[in-house]
Amino acid sequence: MALHKENILVVDDDIHILELLSRQLKSLDYHVYKAISVKEALYILRDSTVDLLITDIQMPEVDGLQLLKYANEHYPLMPKLVVTGYPSVDGALEVIKTGAIDYLTKPFTKVELKKSIDKAFNNKEKQSSSTKSDIKFEGMVGSSSAFQDILNIIDRVRDNRATVLITGESGTGKELVARAIHYSGKFSKGPFIAVNCGAIPESLQEAELFGYMKGAFTGANENRGGFFQAAEGGTLFLDEIGAAGLAVQTKLLRALQEKEITRVGSRKLEKVEIRIVAATNVNLLEEIKNKNFREDLYYRLTVVEINVPPLRERKTDIPLLVEKFLRKYGVEYKDRLPRISSVALEILERYPWPGNIRELENIVQRMVIMSDGPIGVEDIPEFLKYQIDFPQKGLVPLREMEKEYIKKVLLHTKGNKTKAAEILQIDRKTLRDKLD
Ligand SMILES: Nc1ncnc2c1ncn2[C@@H]1O[C@H](COP(=O)(O)OP(=O)(O)OP(=O)(O)O)[C@@H](O)[C@H]1O
Ligand SMILES: [Mg+2]
């Protein structure tokens, strides 16, 4: 019997097939997750570790092809297997194009099922050893060169224990980068432990991080490990490292240099095998100047530095992010994939996003909830429309001016072309031509 049970997610709208498959898989000693719709499957994918996806194609509402497309984008390394009752030539072709590896026609025997699963897992091994650089991490999307640079650094550090410092404004995706380093790399079998230093009072930081001995302080009723011990073999993510007090900074420095820690109330050295990833949205160099942060610790932390630029400096990432969040919330709230008009998307591309990706995600979520059809200019919150910037530096050709002005008027009329034509004092057809 296998020691490690693989997790298989089975998606089929037919409850009988779902049960049958699940029984067969369990008897083959796999752990099974069942989903009777794509929507349910997405929840499971998000919350669990799935080693293989087995899905039906023909399903009401969102079909299996959409699920495969989503899974290929977000979990490119997870093998996928298609089970269907309608093996049409076109269907098969489409499935192969989405990257699904094998194709099983209902009804099938347990032996056939086992064969397909083995093949899927074998292909995975081949794939992961050959396509290293174009792996997409942890559902991260983006197309800007800044984003590509980040992926390249992740690729370089994920298989070693070099300490990484991630810097960037709030909401830019620092934690996601930290998770990507861990979960895509060699130590992903170990734990990922995230600690928000800003949330722990300074007086408790040492005990929380390094653990303590019974009797070390009032309330220490037993020997306890801290976050360092909990992260053994994996990654310790020290978020808001700027909030670590000076006392704990001294101990952190030691831990990084010697890979050794001591619990509060003990002198015994404990070896730790972990990778440390830290993040900050404050400028640590300023903190060093103000004597709030140790310079030597700063240099220990920045063996590798990843700066995640604000969204306004990588606006070409916006369309992909919008699409990702439309899909996420569309499936969650509306059971469909909402579309967005190009004018609406352009407004989103021009807004400066002070809250970065987190703000973008919130706005998209809100628009999905509030709108019924495709998302248009009228669904964009008012405050946002008034803050978009038009390029006003220098002189521009009349055509460009006209284009910008028409867009501005359309914004004002919330996309209503009749009203816009009235304001511009041109007829609707002229406006339509200009829009084309
Ligand atoms: N490249 C990306 N693709 C898709 N989603 C992203 C990307 N970057 C960030 N996000 C999403 O944006 C949100 C904010 O990201 P995250 O929490 O990692 O930011 P942060 O930099 O840690 O923010 P803070 O400094 O406020 O803690 C999360 O929901 C995250 O999943
Ligand atoms: Mg964070």
Side-chain angles (χ1 to χ4, degrees):
M1 216 183 270
L3 263 181
H4 172 71
K5 274 193 181 183
E6 270 106 354
N7 299 319
I8 300 188
L9 169 61
V10 188
V11 192
D12 202 312
D13 60 315
D14 183 337
I15 193 93
H16 300 292
I17 306 242
L18 199 60
E19 282 307 320
L20 177 76
L21 251 173
S22 157
R23 269 202 307 278
Q24 289 180 329
L25 290 169
K26 278 182 192 158
S27 74
L28 289 167
D29 210 33
Y30 292 109
H31 180 260
V32 183
Y33 293 109
K34 291 179 279 190
I36 54 162
S37 68
V38 169
K39 188 177 165 183
E40 280 220 282
L42 293 183
Y43 282 127
I44 295 170
L45 281 174
R46 202 183 52 189
D47 297 336
S48 335
T49 309
V50 174
D51 301 303
L52 169 69
L53 168 69
I54 302 184
T55 181
D56 187 15
I57 291 291
Q58 309 267 352
M59 282 183 281
E61 287 165 319
V62 192
D63 67 14
L65 288 178
Q66 307 247 40
L67 174 63
L68 287 168
K69 195 164 165 266
Y70 177 89
N72 277 336
E73 251 167 52
H74 294 82
Y75 310 94
L77 289 185
M78 175 179 65
K80 295 126 199 143
L81 178 63
V82 164
V83 166
T84 180
Y86 312 90
S88 72
V89 176
D90 284 352
L93 261 183
E94 237 181 304
V95 168
I96 290 161
K97 265 193 262 159
T98 62
I101 313 156
D102 208 351
Y103 189 85
L104 202 56
T105 310
K106 295 180 215 169
F108 47 78
T109 63
K110 199 167 128 182
V111 176
E112 284 166 333
L113 176 66
K114 173 83 177 117
K115 241 182 168 165
S116 294
I117 292 175
D118 287 345
K119 193 166 151 202
F121 280 131
N122 279 334
N123 272 344
K124 181 201 161 146
E125 266 152 35
K126 268 187 234 137
Q127 215 189 356
S128 55
S129 56
S130 61
T131 61
K132 203 174 167 181
S133 57
D134 48 42
I135 287 168
K136 289 214 191 113
F137 301 103
E138 280 288 296
M140 290 173 74
V141 298
S143 57
S144 63
S145 59
F147 180 74
Q148 197 53 51
D149 290 345
I150 293 172
L151 290 191
N152 288 340
I153 308 181
I154 294 176
D155 198 23
R156 234 169 261 189
V157 298
R158 61 195 171 131
D159 286 335
N160 57 57
R161 287 211 169 96
T163 305
V164 180
L165 179 70
I166 308 170
T167 59
E169 288 178 16
S170 185
T172 45
K174 297 184 295 297
E175 177 152 359
L176 201 59
V177 170
R179 289 179 185 276
I181 291 172
H182 176 78
Y183 286 106
S184 69
K186 204 159 118 187
F187 305 107
S188 59
K189 289 223 166 63
F192 175 88
I193 305 285
V195 187
N196 183 347
C197 301
I200 310 174
E202 257 188 62
S203 57
L204 296 180
Q205 285 176 351
E206 203 180 323
E208 290 286 333
L209 286 173
F210 303 106
Y212 54 82
M213 302 304 286
K214 183 176 174 178
F217 48 87
T218 339
N221 300 324
E222 52 180 347
N223 295 344
R224 260 185 78 169
F227 290 116
F228 267 81
Q229 286 91 349
E232 179 65 30
T235 303
L236 180 62
F237 176 50
L238 297 173
D239 205 358
E240 290 191 42
I241 187 77
L246 283 166
V248 92
Q249 286 179 30
T250 311
K251 270 194 113 168
L252 277 173
L253 180 68
R254 222 199 122 72
L256 284 170
Q257 265 165 348
E258 320 292 340
K259 309 245 174 287
E260 281 172 350
I261 57 171
T262 50
R263 296 182 189 209
V264 177
S266 163
R267 292 219 189 136
K268 206 173 125 231
L269 291 172
E270 284 176 56
K271 277 265 167 219
V272 281
E273 287 292 338
I274 59 177
R275 164 184 31 218
I276 294 196
V277 178
T280 178
N281 55 23
V282 300
N283 184 343
L284 287 183
L285 292 172
E286 279 298 312
E287 295 298 302
I288 292 170
K289 248 193 246 151
N290 299 333
K291 304 245 181 295
N292 292 325
F293 205 83
R294 289 184 66 132
E295 190 171 10
D296 44 9
L297 176 60
Y298 174 77
Y299 289 112
R300 274 284 154 195
L301 288 171
T302 49
V303 176
V304 178
E305 183 172 345
I306 301 182
N307 177 253
V308 188
L311 189 54
R312 64 185 166 279
E313 287 172 18
R314 45 179 172 127
K315 289 191 164 188
T316 49
D317 287 344
I318 291 176
L320 280 179
L321 287 164
V322 168
E323 197 195 315
K324 182 190 154 119
F325 299 138
L326 281 177
R327 188 172 298 147
K328 175 171 169 190
Y329 294 109
V331 171
E332 188 167 339
Y333 298 119
K334 301 275 162 102
D335 247 332
R336 63 182 168 81
L337 307 179
R339 281 184 306 137
I340 183 163
S341 78
S342 53
V343 185
L345 184 61
E346 196 170 337
I347 292 171
L348 296 183
E349 283 174 292
R350 285 178 181 239
Y351 177 69
W353 299 110
N356 295 298
I357 300 180
R358 182 175 297 115
E359 185 185 13
L360 175 68
E361 182 167 355
N362 288 344
I363 296 282
V364 174
Q365 179 180 15
R366 188 153 117 195
M367 293 193 301
V368 170
I369 294 173
M370 302 304 284
S371 77
D372 289 319
I375 289 164
V377 178
E378 64 283 0
D379 299 306
I380 297 180
E382 290 299 315
F383 81 89
L384 199 150
K385 288 182 210 166
Y386 295 119
Q387 289 177 56
I388 69 174
D389 46 283
F390 287 99
Q392 262 150 6
K393 299 163 213 109
L395 302 170
V396 292
L398 192 56
R399 266 183 73 89
E400 285 299 313
M401 275 296 272
E402 187 182 86
K403 200 163 109 189
E404 294 301 343
Y405 190 65
I406 292 175
K407 276 187 201 145
K408 216 168 184 166
V409 172
L410 275 170
L411 267 183
H412 176 79
T413 67
K414 300 181 178 166
N416 184 324
K417 288 180 197 147
T418 312
K419 273 197 207 150
E422 258 172 53
I423 293 171
L424 294 164
Q425 298 192 358
I426 53 177
D427 60 358
R428 280 207 51 163
K429 185 177 175 312
T430 315
L431 178 61
R432 249 200 330 266
D433 290 347
K434 286 186 186 296
L435 287 175
D436 284 344

